[in-house]
Amino acid sequence: MKRIKGLKPFAKIYVILIAVFFLSMTLIYCIPASWIQGNVEKSVEIMENEGDYPMYFFYRHSAIIDVHTDKLMYESLIQNRDYYNAVQASVSINQYPRYWHGYQVVLRPLSIIFQVQEVRYLGMLVFHLLFFWSAWLMAEKTRPVNAALYVLTVSTGYIVFLPVCLQFLSTFMVLFISLIVLLCRYDKDRPMRLMEYFFIIGMVENFFDFLTYPIITLGIPLILLLWMRVRDEQADFKDNFRFMFKSSVSWGLGYALTWMTKWAIATVVLGVRYFWRTMSVIQYRLEGSEEEPLDRLGTLRKNLKSWMNVQDDGMITWSKVALLILIAAVLLAIWKKVKDIKTVAAYVPILFVAAYPYIWYLVMSNHSQIHHWYTYRAQLVALFGILIFIASILKEKKET
């Protein structure tokens, strides 16, 4: 009975958010297509002139801008079946119903006034404001070194391109806002409902997500919370490991249930054929195909190479990279000395979270091997986790 009672807040959140998602999508499709037609057509023309996958400045796979998907997002603003009502149009999204396409809640109203170049400019402003705000709060509420490592981590994902590619932008918006909420509300003396927090993040991320790199919206806040729990003397290894597991399950349930609900809504509104079409895509994503067979180790290698800025024909000897990291960590440990073993152990769950991107790549291998040139950014979780762990286990000056 107690367990059932504990699920009530999650059920309430689920029902409310699904209703908000569904109603908001329906309402924005009540906007007449004629209001946005001109700006959408001009925006698509601009993106067609840019090419599907332009590379500026760096000329590496990791610096590709996904104009192809942004163009698809814009083309989806105008429903290609005139006989659909607002509900059908908001669920179908031009026969692409397996995602929620939550970006339309923002992009469709903006397109009444703005074209793509102006939307990109607004995205750039909001991105940097939220990024700097979250970093400032992190420095104030935790410690400056954590904020510096956070800024470094995000910057390695080619931050110059993130605000101007709409597909790349949305997940970082969810990340920044979730961090701002966490840092504003977290108080060791007045605990916030963290399981519900992660459940909400999972649901909201799925609403906007294209399988881009959703795991960063779980990994980075979770790493920060694991650090804060040790700082506040609220957790040892066992407590933090249990918290890590429960938080991850909560986020995963929010993400998965939101996705499955979209499939169910699409089936009810559009017909059973859309359900089987979605199932065939899921099978393809999980099993691959004859033309694109699964290569799970190859997926890891591709994403690592993209992250490390290695060209297609380049090679990285991963044992050497691991050896360099190990040597650097040992030198730091000798120079500054590490904290007591109990404290170090309490931080170890951070390293488990740092492995999440690679678990994601193994599960979602088909998508991650095809789109490695942007899914590599999931490894920002690994970088942030490793950096925070190393910085946390070393003694500070006042402890010497």
Side-chain angles (χ1 to χ4, degrees), residues 39 42-44 46-47 50 70 74 114-121 166:
N39 283 334
K42 290 175 183 176
S43 297
V44 170
I46 288 168
M47 287 184 279
E50 293 173 335
D70 280 8
Y74 260 91
F114 302 119
Q115 295 175 20
V116 65
Q117 63 270 48
E118 296 159 322
V119 171
R120 286 170 173 170
Y121 185 78
L166 302 182

Side-chain angles (χ1 to χ4, degrees), residues 280-347:
S280 67
V281 173
I282 293 171
Q283 183 180 16
Y284 164 65
R285 288 303 187 198
L286 293 176
E287 299 177 5
S289 64
E290 290 184 7
E291 295 77 19
E292 293 171 328
L294 281 188
D295 180 4
R296 299 189 190 278
L297 291 178
T299 298
L300 294 177
R301 185 166 56 251
K302 282 184 175 182
N303 280 274
L304 283 165
K305 288 173 72 173
S306 291
W307 190 32
M308 296 286 185
N309 268 320
V310 177
Q311 293 280 44
D312 283 342
D313 55 351
M315 291 289 291
I316 286 182
T317 305
W318 302 112
S319 59
K320 292 180 181 178
V321 174
L323 183 61
L324 287 173
I325 294 172
L326 180 62
I327 291 171
V330 169
L331 290 175
L332 282 169
I334 293 171
W335 177 44
K336 299 198 75 173
K337 302 186 185 298
V338 297
K339 297 176 180 177
D340 62 277
I341 190 66
K342 185 178 179 181
T343 303
V344 172
Y347 287 117

Side-chain angles (χ1 to χ4, degrees), residues 129 141 178 208 212 224 267 294 297 303 329 355 362-363 376 379:
L129 285 171
K141 299 295 181 73
S178 64
F208 290 101
T212 312
L224 198 61
T267 302
L294 281 188
L297 291 178
N303 280 274
L362 293 174
V363 175
Y376 77 89
Q379 293 169 102

Side-chain angles (χ1 to χ4, degrees), residues 110-354:
L110 285 178
S111 295
I112 297 173
I113 305 171
F114 302 119
Q115 295 175 20
V116 65
Q117 63 270 48
E118 296 159 322
V119 171
R120 286 170 173 170
Y121 185 78
L122 290 173
M124 179 184 68
L125 292 179
V126 174
F127 177 95
H128 286 101
L129 285 171
L130 293 178
F131 182 39
F132 294 151
W133 187 7
S134 61
W136 176 76
L137 284 172
M138 198 176 296
E140 183 183 47
K141 299 295 181 73
T142 64
R143 56 179 184 169
V145 68
N146 287 355
L149 296 177
Y150 165 66
V151 171
L152 173 64
T153 296
V154 175
S155 298
T156 63
Y158 281 96
I159 193 173
V160 67
F161 300 129
L162 297 177
V164 294
C165 181
L166 302 182
Q167 190 210 170
F168 296 167
L169 176 65
S170 59
T171 293
F172 278 95
M173 293 293 97
V174 175
L175 171 64
F176 296 157
I177 292 171
S178 64
L179 284 172
I180 289 166
V181 170
L182 173 65
L183 291 164
C184 287
R185 297 193 58 186
Y186 179 86
D187 187 336
K188 67 176 182 178
D189 298 321
R190 290 185 302 163
M192 61 186 288
R193 304 174 86 168
L194 292 169
M195 295 306 106
E196 288 95 324
Y197 165 80
F198 280 108
F199 187 72
I200 291 169
I201 294 174
M203 290 191 70
V204 172
E205 172 58 17
N206 187 266
F207 181 60
F208 290 101
D209 183 40
F210 267 128
L211 276 181
T212 312
Y213 26 72
I215 203 69
I216 69 172
T217 64
L218 165 65
I220 291 178
L222 181 53
I223 287 166
L224 198 61
L225 271 166
L226 292 170
W227 182 89
M228 289 192 288
R229 283 166 56 83
V230 178
R231 178 201 63 182
D232 297 337
E233 299 180 348
Q234 294 181 338
D236 56 15
F237 171 80
K238 185 177 179 181
D239 292 328
N240 252 357
F241 187 86
R242 187 184 299 115
F243 177 80
M244 175 202 74
F245 179 78
K246 291 169 66 177
S247 300
S248 302
V249 169
S250 185
W251 182 93
L253 282 173
Y255 189 88
L257 286 173
T258 306
W259 211 354
M260 289 187 286
T261 303
K262 181 53 169 45
W263 304 339
I265 291 171
T267 302
V268 170
V269 174
L270 302 174
V272 176
R273 68 185 185 280
Y274 283 94
F275 175 79
W276 293 116
R277 186 184 300 175
T278 298
M279 291 303 104
S280 67
V281 173
I282 293 171
Q283 183 180 16
Y284 164 65
R285 288 303 187 198
L286 293 176
E287 299 177 5
S289 64
E290 290 184 7
E291 295 77 19
E292 293 171 328
L294 281 188
D295 180 4
R296 299 189 190 278
L297 291 178
T299 298
L300 294 177
R301 185 166 56 251
K302 282 184 175 182
N303 280 274
L304 283 165
K305 288 173 72 173
S306 291
W307 190 32
M308 296 286 185
N309 268 320
V310 177
Q311 293 280 44
D312 283 342
D313 55 351
M315 291 289 291
I316 286 182
T317 305
W318 302 112
S319 59
K320 292 180 181 178
V321 174
L323 183 61
L324 287 173
I325 294 172
L326 180 62
I327 291 171
V330 169
L331 290 175
L332 282 169
I334 293 171
W335 177 44
K336 299 198 75 173
K337 302 186 185 298
V338 297
K339 297 176 180 177
D340 62 277
I341 190 66
K342 185 178 179 181
T343 303
V344 172
Y347 287 117
V348 167
I350 290 174
L351 295 180
F352 285 89
V353 179

